[in-house]
Amino acid sequence: MKRVNILAQFSDDPENLTRLYLSNAHKNAVQLVQRWMREAGMSTRIDGAATLHGLHPSQMSDAPRLILGSHIDTVRDAGKFDGNLGVISAISVVAELNRLGIKLPFTVEVVAFGDEEGVRFPTTLCGSRALAGRFDPLCLDDVDSDGVTRRKALLDFGVNPQAISAETLNPKQTLGYIELHIEQGPVLESQGYPLGVVTAINGASRGHVTVRGVAGHAGTLPMSMRKDALSAAAEIVLEIEKIARNMPDVVATVGTFELPHGASNVVPSAVKFSVDIRAPEDRLRHEAVKKIEHVLDDVSHARGTSAILDIHYDAQATRCEPAFMDCLSAAITQNNLKNIRLPSGAGHDAMAFRDRIPVAMLFVRSKGGISHNPAEFSSEADIGLATKVLFDFVMSLKDK
């Protein structure tokens, strides 16, 4: 907890915690975490994507590696636990291995990624995608709000972006990636569990619905003759909510709503609103999208309007490794705790490794389910339990 608080002091904004990828605050945070890794007995390096790596070598030569970690970048006006806790806990696990003089039949590698939040540049997961062999060199031309390219930001940080391609892991020599993370939601707290084993990271479909009607005078146009785009959009939004409520594990959100040229005395002719649909199974998510498209057709037919759904982002769900989930559950039971499994509605670096290596995640209870907010909080007791479970999980793999 002390380290969480110390790391939170590294910010681009003196008024709140904002640590953007490749900023001065990020660079200073990397240097501090690098020191903590070395104090825990690890050798360290920083790769071409500005990811910090710490190695606890195996007792065997040419041993496979187990990757632990998370990210240390933040959103604007952030909480201090998101991402950071996973890196700090992983370092604590290695420190305990060194304290006990334990050498494992695999290398433990702790990573501190820096581009999980996607706040500075339009694309994200640069560090984890590089490790997974999914880095797109075109994203080096991404430009931030100040006109700085990702390539220049990496060079200014002090790393060589041309070396990123060399980071691709060998799946045959990698046991998997394990990420400890705060839940960022209310499920664990509401059900009385300090920890939870993640089953999958939800896939996501994001886009916009554009509804078009016909503008008319608010006083002279009879209700029966209107083609009101806003009324049609309102009905569609409620139907989207109903679809998600009736499909287990599916969530759907309308977060933005625009009325171009809207006026209080004009029947609206056009509305545009965002749609975000998520589910731990792609089949469910695609089914929800189809149902929404049917709603657009039905409402448009009944109201004399038109409606089009444009999906511009589609991320596949990431299933967690069943064997790892079982090991995490066993470690939780070993610590006299009840087990619960749940999907992750938020995205994580683990997504980058989908179908490349096995992944698993351990969630820690979040107070009030609050995240991406200065009020974000996980207790010392829960953090202690989570770190102990992560240690026991690592130890359980030595005989597998």
Side-chain angles (χ1 to χ4, degrees):
M1 186 67 86
K2 181 180 178 181
R3 283 183 168 178
V4 167
N5 290 326
I6 292 172
L7 196 54
Q9 297 173 19
F10 290 81
S11 175
D12 303 314
D13 188 330
E15 301 300 322
N16 56 63
L17 174 54
T18 299
R19 190 187 310 128
L20 303 188
Y21 178 51
L22 302 178
S23 65
N24 287 333
H26 177 216
K27 185 172 184 176
N28 291 335
V30 165
Q31 292 172 346
L32 174 65
V33 175
Q34 185 175 42
R35 193 183 82 206
W36 288 343
M37 286 181 173
R38 289 172 176 169
E39 289 172 356
M42 288 180 267
S43 59
T44 65
R45 67 184 182 88
I46 302 171
D47 70 22
T51 298
L52 172 63
H53 302 250
L55 291 179
H56 174 70
S58 168
Q59 61 188 357
M60 302 162 53
S61 61
D62 197 32
R65 58 176 165 168
L66 176 71
I67 306 172
L68 310 178
S70 193
H71 63 96
I72 59 171
D73 64 320
T74 76
V75 296
R76 291 184 172 88
D77 197 17
K80 59 190 174 184
F81 295 89
D82 179 1
N84 300 289
L85 177 60
V87 175
I88 292 168
S89 294
I91 293 171
S92 296
V93 167
V94 173
E96 184 68 359
L97 291 172
N98 274 313
R99 187 185 73 82
L100 296 173
I102 295 173
K103 290 291 185 180
L104 298 164
F106 50 85
T107 293
V108 178
E109 180 171 358
V110 178
V111 292
F113 296 120
D115 187 34
E116 196 268 355
E117 296 294 3
V119 176
R120 182 172 181 182
F121 296 103
T123 54
T124 188
L125 302 183
C126 170
S128 47
R129 288 186 190 276
L131 201 53
R134 290 182 164 128
F135 178 79
D136 183 357
L138 291 177
C139 82
L140 292 173
D141 296 322
D142 287 347
V143 178
D144 69 10
S145 59
D146 294 321
V148 178
T149 65
R150 185 190 297 267
R151 179 183 288 102
K152 184 177 188 309
L154 285 164
L155 291 170
D156 291 346
F157 192 90
V159 297
N160 178 14
Q162 298 306 313
I164 291 176
S165 60
E167 288 303 319
T168 302
L169 54 77
N170 180 352
K172 295 180 179 178
Q173 283 294 101
T174 308
L175 297 180
Y177 171 75
I178 317 299
E179 186 168 358
L180 184 154
H181 205 283
I182 61 168
E183 183 197 352
Q184 299 180 278
V187 176
L188 293 178
E189 184 183 60
S190 67
Q191 298 190 24
Y193 292 88
L195 308 177
V197 177
V198 177
T199 57
I201 301 170
N202 283 3
S205 297
R206 296 179 199 149
H208 287 89
V209 172
T210 302
V211 182
R212 297 194 182 280
V214 178
H217 194 290
T220 62
L221 189 59
M223 298 300 292
S224 61
M225 299 177 66
R226 295 187 179 198
K227 297 180 179 180
D228 187 329
L230 178 54
S231 295
E235 184 175 347
I236 291 169
V237 169
L238 291 175
E239 288 297 320
I240 289 173
E241 180 187 47
K242 189 182 298 183
I243 287 168
R245 284 181 178 272
N246 291 330
M247 296 182 69
D249 294 328
V250 173
V251 294
T253 305
V254 173
T256 66
F257 217 86
E258 303 171 30
L259 278 80
H261 315 298
S264 62
N265 60 347
V266 178
V267 175
S269 62
V271 172
K272 184 178 181 180
F273 60 87
S274 64
V275 182
D276 183 310
I277 307 114
R278 307 190 191 201
E281 292 185 31
D282 292 328
R283 174 187 60 80
L284 289 173
R285 178 167 52 87
H286 294 151
E287 183 181 341
V289 171
K290 286 292 184 186
K291 289 184 176 182
I292 290 170
E293 289 173 337
H294 288 316
V295 163
L296 300 189
D297 291 341
D298 292 345
V299 172
S300 296
H301 179 75
R303 291 181 170 272
T305 54
S306 67
I308 298 174
L309 172 61
D310 176 26
I311 297 292
H312 55 72
Y313 174 87
D314 191 275
Q316 293 177 300
T318 301
R319 302 293 298 177
C320 291
E321 170 61 36
F324 282 176
M325 288 192 288
D326 290 344
C327 287
L328 283 170
S329 292
I332 290 172
T333 300
Q334 181 181 327
N335 284 273
N336 301 312
L337 299 170
K338 297 184 296 181
N339 268 294
I340 184 174
R341 296 189 179 189
L342 69 166
S344 170
H348 301 282
D349 280 299
M351 297 169 63
F353 300 104
R354 181 183 185 275
D355 295 334
R356 293 284 289 159
I357 57 173
V359 301
M361 292 192 70
L362 178 66
F363 272 172
V364 187
R365 176 167 50 191
S366 296
K367 184 177 180 181
I370 296 171
S371 186
H372 286 184
N373 182 310
E376 183 179 273
F377 182 79
S378 291
S379 73
E380 230 174 275
D382 288 354
I383 290 170
L385 288 170
T387 307
K388 177 64 163 56
V389 165
L390 183 61
F391 176 84
D392 291 343
F393 167 85
V394 171
M395 292 295 292
S396 74
L397 297 184
K398 65 183 174 61
D399 299 321
K400 301 266 181 211

